[in-house]
Amino acid sequence: MLTRKEELTEALIGYLLTHGLSDLSLRPLAAELGTSARLLIYHFGSKEGLLAAAMDAMHSHLRGTLQTLAENDAQEGDARVLRQFWDWAVAAENFSYLKLLYELQILAARHPETYGPFWQKATAGWLELIKGLLPADKQKAAIASLPIAVFDGLFLELMSTGDRQRTTRALDYFIGLVEEVRLNRAAAANKQRQASTRKRPPPR
Amino acid sequence: MLTRKEELTEALIGYLLTHGLSDLSLRPLAAELGTSARLLIYHFGSKEGLLAAAMDAMHSHLRGTLQTLAENDAQEGDARVLRQFWDWAVAAENFSYLKLLYELQILAARHPETYGPFWQKATAGWLELIKGLLPADKQKAAIASLPIAVFDGLFLELMSTGDRQRTTRALDYFIGLVEEVRLNRAAAANKQRQASTRKRPPPR
DNA sequence: CGTTACATGTAACGATCGTTACATGTCAAC
DNA sequence: GTTGACATGTAACGATCGTTACATGTAACG
């Protein structure tokens, strides 16, 4: 059975997803949750404790759904994983979560003391998860940063413009770029291998 | 000579650049500017008018420095323009401006009524400017979105992590990708042209 | 000198903020 | 039945918010 604090936390997440966290205020929140500011403080200790509880719950939720996504996509070890992740992110039930995460990131950049720990906790885990999806030779920091940045930038634009079609096409264009380079390099390596002596086995 | 409102606006921008605009408050602002909340309202009419004046001034400033950048780079019509733009953006005197713009973008996504017009005005002009730097065949919306998204995503990461080296390398990696594809396509087109009959002139 | 427009200072208004003091209800356990 | 832990309601505290009323200064112009 859920304790009162836990069900409040769930409702609280729903509220944050639609109202954001930059201008969170206890009394309007309490009104919408059918409780009082007094009780929110009672259960969470303070506004900061309330935020911490919400972020923790949000973090585990995201981690959970991302984990299943990673397991399902483990076999498709390509740049297309990025597309799968994008489809997951723009799904209605996940979109608000990510929107909140980006808001948190901006807040953390401006107020590291207050929001920095929340953002670190929220992203540390899932960035590792994304890197885990990349092929081993792509895990060098700078190279791994690029697909993440593409995702971030396009999601940011989707948030602002709502233009899902254009942002999705831009992502596909990026994936196409990466694929094209991969194929060209493979072809070039193949040709060079044929031209060389056959004593050495082909590089792995 | 500067009117009082104009010099207040300049000082105001400096304040916004370091303190952000999500938690702007008149009295601390006035204290740092050596004036009073009373006078800020007197000069700008309201807090919103104050924001509008600051955003207008910021917008013209950005527009000015971007214009000269565009003119200097006009000859280098390549993906490398993106790198020039990046160097401009991470320069100390411009970095805070862009940081503020991204904060504005997030705020606008959450409160379109309040911040939406500011963000539109700030970005509408300069996105056109970026598109103008791209070669004509790259101006299709989805394709133009990609370099912008790369820039946005990397800048966001730079804001959060401060890791200039990694983000810059990631950008160079992206530029390298685009260049590689461009060269491969040119080579392929060249080969095909040589193999075909010579009756038709090469496609432009 | 008087008038007029602009600038500034003091103080307060009503609203909202996070938080707390204090009292009361609920309900299971002993 | 009493005790005790948890939950809740009412009301207020002090702080800060954007904004305003009212009075005063300043300086140019007639």
Side-chain angles (χ1 to χ4, degrees):
Chain A
M1 169 203 165
L2 287 172
T3 158
R4 185 84 187 100
K5 179 173 175 178
E6 283 168 339
E7 48 179 315
L8 275 180
T9 304
E10 289 206 6
L12 165 60
I13 290 183
Y15 183 89
L16 287 180
L17 288 180
T18 72
H19 292 80
L21 37 77
S22 60
D23 51 357
L24 176 64
S25 175
L26 289 188
R27 268 173 268 245
L29 163 66
E32 195 157 312
L33 300 200
T35 176
S36 68
R38 163 74 183 78
L39 282 186
L40 291 177
I41 295 290
Y42 171 71
H43 284 296
F44 297 98
S46 68
K47 188 185 180 182
E48 188 179 332
L50 178 139
L51 268 185
M55 290 297 156
D56 267 9
M58 213 182 76
H59 176 233
S60 357
H61 171 87
L62 272 182
R63 185 59 107 98
T65 81
L66 264 182
Q67 194 61 51
T68 71
L69 180 78
E71 287 163 0
N72 290 346
D73 284 357
Q75 65 274 16
E76 319 201 19
D78 254 341
R80 287 174 220 280
V81 183
L82 194 58
R83 175 58 194 267
Q84 306 268 18
F85 186 59
W86 176 261
D87 290 337
W88 171 86
V90 299
E93 69 269 22
N94 301 316
F95 187 74
S96 298
Y97 275 92
L98 289 209
K99 213 169 146 184
L100 200 61
L101 269 191
Y102 284 94
E103 186 181 357
L104 179 60
Q105 179 169 8
I106 296 288
L107 283 178
R110 190 69 74 178
H111 303 292
E113 344 69 63
T114 312
Y115 298 100
F118 295 152
W119 181 72
Q120 281 193 348
K121 191 167 189 178
T123 53
W126 91 328
L127 281 188
E128 286 309 312
L129 201 144
I130 294 182
K131 280 192 185 172
L133 293 182
L134 292 176
D137 60 326
K138 297 283 178 56
Q139 293 196 13
K140 275 191 280 186
I143 301 186
S145 289
L146 182 57
I148 296 179
V150 169
F151 181 89
D152 286 345
L154 288 178
F155 194 89
L156 207 62
E157 183 167 343
L158 176 59
M159 274 178 57
S160 296
T161 66
D163 194 336
R164 188 130 101 192
Q165 180 173 293
R166 190 175 82 242
T167 47
T168 303
R169 282 183 180 164
L171 183 73
D172 287 337
Y173 179 68
F174 173 72
I175 293 175
L177 272 185
V178 175
E179 282 290 299
E180 191 172 335
V181 166
R182 199 176 59 81
L183 291 178
N184 279 331
R185 286 181 183 173
N190 214 26
K191 189 179 294 181
Q192 186 177 354
R193 209 179 314 133
Q194 287 178 350
S196 74
T197 75
R198 311 229 160 175
K199 292 181 179 173
R200 280 165 298 170
R204 138 133 195 74
Chain B
M1 168 206 166
L2 287 172
T3 159
R4 185 84 187 100
K5 179 173 176 178
E6 284 167 338
E7 47 178 316
L8 276 179
T9 304
E10 289 205 7
L12 165 59
I13 290 182
Y15 183 89
L16 287 181
L17 288 180
T18 71
H19 292 80
L21 37 76
S22 60
D23 50 357
L24 177 65
S25 176
L26 291 188
R27 267 173 269 245
L29 164 66
E32 196 157 313
L33 299 199
T35 176
S36 68
R38 162 74 182 80
L39 281 185
L40 291 178
I41 295 290
Y42 171 73
H43 285 295
F44 298 98
S46 67
K47 188 184 180 183
E48 188 179 334
L50 178 139
L51 268 184
M55 291 297 156
D56 267 8
M58 211 182 76
H59 175 233
S60 356
H61 171 87
L62 271 181
R63 186 58 108 99
T65 81
L66 263 181
Q67 193 62 49
T68 72
L69 181 77
E71 286 161 3
N72 289 347
D73 285 357
Q75 65 274 15
E76 320 201 19
D78 254 341
R80 286 174 221 280
V81 184
L82 193 59
R83 176 57 194 268
Q84 306 268 20
F85 186 60
W86 176 263
D87 290 336
W88 171 86
V90 300
E93 70 268 23
N94 302 315
F95 187 73
S96 298
Y97 275 92
L98 290 208
K99 211 168 149 185
L100 200 60
L101 269 190
Y102 285 94
E103 186 180 358
L104 178 60
Q105 178 169 8
I106 296 288
L107 283 178
R110 191 67 75 179
H111 304 291
E113 343 71 63
T114 311
Y115 298 99
F118 295 151
W119 181 73
Q120 282 192 349
K121 190 168 190 178
T123 53
W126 91 328
L127 281 188
E128 287 309 313
L129 202 143
I130 294 182
K131 280 191 186 175
L133 292 182
L134 292 175
D137 61 325
K138 296 283 178 55
Q139 292 196 13
K140 276 191 281 186
I143 301 185
S145 290
L146 183 57
I148 297 179
V150 169
F151 180 90
D152 286 345
L154 288 178
F155 194 90
L156 207 62
E157 183 167 343
L158 175 60
M159 274 177 57
S160 296
T161 67
D163 193 336
R164 188 130 103 193
Q165 179 173 294
R166 190 175 82 242
T167 47
T168 302
R169 282 184 181 164
L171 183 73
D172 287 336
Y173 178 67
F174 173 72
I175 293 175
L177 272 186
V178 174
E179 282 292 299
E180 190 172 335
V181 165
R182 198 176 59 80
L183 291 179
N184 280 330
R185 286 181 184 174
N190 214 25
K191 189 179 296 181
Q192 185 178 353
R193 210 179 313 135
Q194 288 178 346
S196 75
T197 75
R198 312 228 160 173
K199 292 180 180 176
R200 281 165 298 171
R204 139 139 191 68

